[in-house]
Amino acid sequence: MDNDVPDPYTDPLAFGQRLQLLRTRKGLTRDQLGGLVGKSGSWVKGLEIGRLKPPKLDIVLALAEALRVRDLSDLTGDRSLHVDLFVGPGHPRLAAVKAAMNAFPVATARPAPPTSHIRARLAHAWSARHSAPDHREVIGALLPELIRDAQLAARQADTGPARRAAQAVLAEVYSLSQFFVAYQPDAALLWRVAERGLIAAQESEDPYAIGVAAWLTTQAHRDAGPAHFDAADAVNLETLRYLEPLLDDAPPEVLAIAGALTFEAGYTAARRGATGIAWRHWDTARAMANQLPDGHYDPVTSFSQAIMGAHAVTVAVELRQGVESVRQAAAAEAKTIPSRPRRARHRIEEARGYQLDRQPDVALATLEKAHQAAPETIRYNGYAKRIILEEAESKTPARRRRASELAVKIGLLAA
């Protein structure tokens, strides 16, 4: 951290000072931040200079979401209000996964398993992730050995084709690792995994591996905040330019990753508030999904015909279109999404839409469905936590009780 930049987490700083420092670090103007929470730039200025008192909890939570703060107390300054939002508390298996990622055994007498064997184990891991409600626990148990064996296979490959095949498998192991590391309290590890995945994918010269690594890196940049949206677009659009000449004769998996990247471009546009661009990319991605064989479901990106309804909800939510979010939620069929964590993620996006449309009871009911599908997904999702915390302060007793019960289930409140 630059020694000349004040630390917003120093206790004497007022709410407004913390808000200003966090806003500038995210590269947001006052007008931009105000727009994200339905307020004006002058309102943000009033908070920052202390002319206005700190807002109520629902607005504080909206500001925390817009700023992607790690912990609610980082914004409020109240250390008794310690709530992890967009970074989880850390999964019990994180240490073992991190140790495997950090290890660098340059010399070993142990022969690597065949690449085909590692790929079969990797396919099993993806299948287990999609079917398990505790998907982080499942893949966290499998990842350490997968990482070590895939790294070993890449080092021991002794011909060009064997080396490229091993690098493709290694890239996909890193992709699975990134799903585990996301929303864990170790940003440096997340970026190390993403960068290693990009390098392995490039070494493999495999279009699908390259596309997947770019897809995950795009998400990492975008989740880092508005100041990184240009970097997200640069990776995303450059990879699409690379894939485009290959699509006429491409196998389904390459067409699927190109479709997933096309939607990601729309997702980033929606985060920017670029309505026309966002929906245009979604339309293009839907057309690409319709070219896939019936039932094709990409194990990494979930790109498929079934996912496009969920993607439409996400675009509408990111554009703050409450009515459109609800309309798209009604049109989407979550039960057609075969992945439990992805189905839970869709339910959370639906809940955000209902909250935007001022239907908090429906939002809570939808979050309960997300918890039923995959408890670990909602436990690490900042958007879900924000809705639950907000409604736990509701003036309606039944709603407050329902939100509090859900907060206990996901570990936000003590039982």
Side-chain angles (χ1 to χ4, degrees):
M1 181 182 293
D2 190 332
N3 291 332
D4 296 329
V5 178
D7 187 342
Y9 313 138
T10 302
D11 285 340
L13 288 181
F15 177 87
Q17 293 172 301
R18 291 171 179 273
L19 179 65
Q20 183 175 10
L21 289 169
L22 291 165
R23 174 182 62 77
T24 55
R25 286 185 176 183
K26 286 297 182 185
L28 289 169
T29 66
R30 285 169 172 159
D31 286 337
Q32 288 171 331
L33 178 58
L36 289 173
V37 298
K39 301 288 186 178
S40 66
S42 61
W43 177 84
V44 175
K45 181 179 179 180
L47 287 178
E48 291 181 348
I49 66 176
R51 188 177 71 241
L52 299 176
K53 293 180 180 180
K56 293 182 179 179
L57 180 62
D58 60 333
I59 301 298
V60 171
L61 290 167
L63 289 167
E65 177 184 328
L67 294 167
R68 304 285 291 186
V69 296
R70 293 171 60 92
D71 189 296
L72 196 56
S73 64
D74 296 342
L75 174 59
T76 64
D78 183 356
R79 291 297 162 185
S80 67
L81 196 61
H82 175 75
V83 179
D84 293 307
L85 286 174
F86 290 91
V87 177
H91 194 278
R93 293 193 181 274
L94 178 62
V97 172
K98 183 175 182 177
M101 192 64 62
N102 288 343
F104 190 62
V106 292
T108 178
R110 180 171 72 89
T115 300
S116 59
H117 182 259
I118 299 172
R119 183 165 289 286
R121 288 161 56 196
L122 187 55
H124 167 72
W126 282 117
S127 178
R129 178 186 180 272
H130 289 303
S131 61
D134 56 341
H135 50 94
R136 269 194 170 83
E137 173 64 24
V138 170
I139 64 172
L142 298 173
L143 272 173
E145 282 302 315
L146 266 174
I147 292 168
R148 284 189 281 267
D149 286 350
Q151 289 175 336
L152 193 62
R155 284 197 300 274
Q156 293 182 2
D158 54 6
T159 66
R163 190 173 300 111
R164 288 190 291 273
Q167 289 287 356
V169 170
L170 179 59
E172 194 167 332
V173 169
Y174 287 143
S175 296
L176 181 63
S177 302
Q178 194 166 332
F179 275 89
F180 177 85
V181 172
Y183 305 112
Q184 299 294 300
D186 197 331
L189 178 62
L190 173 67
W191 282 107
R192 188 152 64 251
V193 173
E195 289 168 358
R196 288 187 183 180
L198 276 177
I199 292 169
Q202 289 173 330
E203 291 292 324
S204 76
E205 301 180 12
D206 181 281
Y208 178 75
I210 290 169
V212 166
W215 181 80
L216 285 163
T217 303
T218 294
Q219 294 189 351
H221 280 302
R222 187 178 58 237
D223 286 348
H228 301 267
F229 286 175
D230 286 346
D233 280 336
V235 173
N236 196 345
L237 299 178
E238 181 63 27
T239 307
L240 279 171
R241 282 191 286 271
Y242 157 72
L243 291 172
E244 188 175 3
L246 309 177
L247 296 183
D248 285 344
D249 300 317
E253 62 268 20
V254 174
L255 180 59
I257 192 57
L261 285 164
T262 301
F263 170 71
E264 289 303 313
Y267 194 165
T268 306
R271 284 275 182 93
R272 292 182 188 274
T275 302
I277 297 172
W279 285 115
R280 186 161 60 249
H281 281 305
W282 179 85
D283 278 330
T284 303
R286 178 178 59 174
M288 298 172 80
N290 288 338
Q291 295 176 41
L292 294 171
D294 288 342
H296 184 88
Y297 189 87
D298 185 79
V300 183
T301 68
S302 292
F303 192 77
S304 58
Q305 295 172 16
I307 207 67
M308 294 312 302
H311 282 340
V313 174
T314 295
V315 170
V317 167
E318 293 296 343
L319 291 169
R320 308 288 173 175
Q321 298 174 339
V323 174
E324 180 65 15
S325 300
V326 170
R327 189 181 76 82
Q328 293 292 350
E333 289 291 340
K335 66 176 181 292
T336 66
I337 300 174
S339 167
R340 291 184 71 137
R342 187 61 185 85
R343 194 158 64 245
R345 157 89 186 281
H346 172 51
R347 291 301 193 191
I348 293 167
E349 296 292 277
E350 286 185 317
R352 293 176 68 196
Y354 288 121
Q355 193 77 352
L356 280 172
D357 199 46
R358 302 182 185 277
Q359 298 187 53
D361 291 310
V362 183
L364 288 173
T366 307
L367 289 178
E368 288 168 349
K369 293 178 182 178
H371 186 266
Q372 291 167 8
E376 284 194 339
T377 295
I378 190 172
R379 189 174 300 140
Y380 291 96
N381 189 282
Y383 298 117
K385 293 177 186 177
R386 176 200 158 182
I387 294 171
I388 294 167
L389 284 172
E390 183 175 332
E391 298 309 326
E393 296 289 324
S394 171
K395 294 179 180 179
T396 304
R399 187 183 305 150
R400 185 169 62 246
R401 182 171 57 254
R402 190 174 194 175
S404 298
E405 289 172 354
L406 190 51
V408 170
K409 286 180 181 179
I410 69 171
L412 273 176
L413 296 176

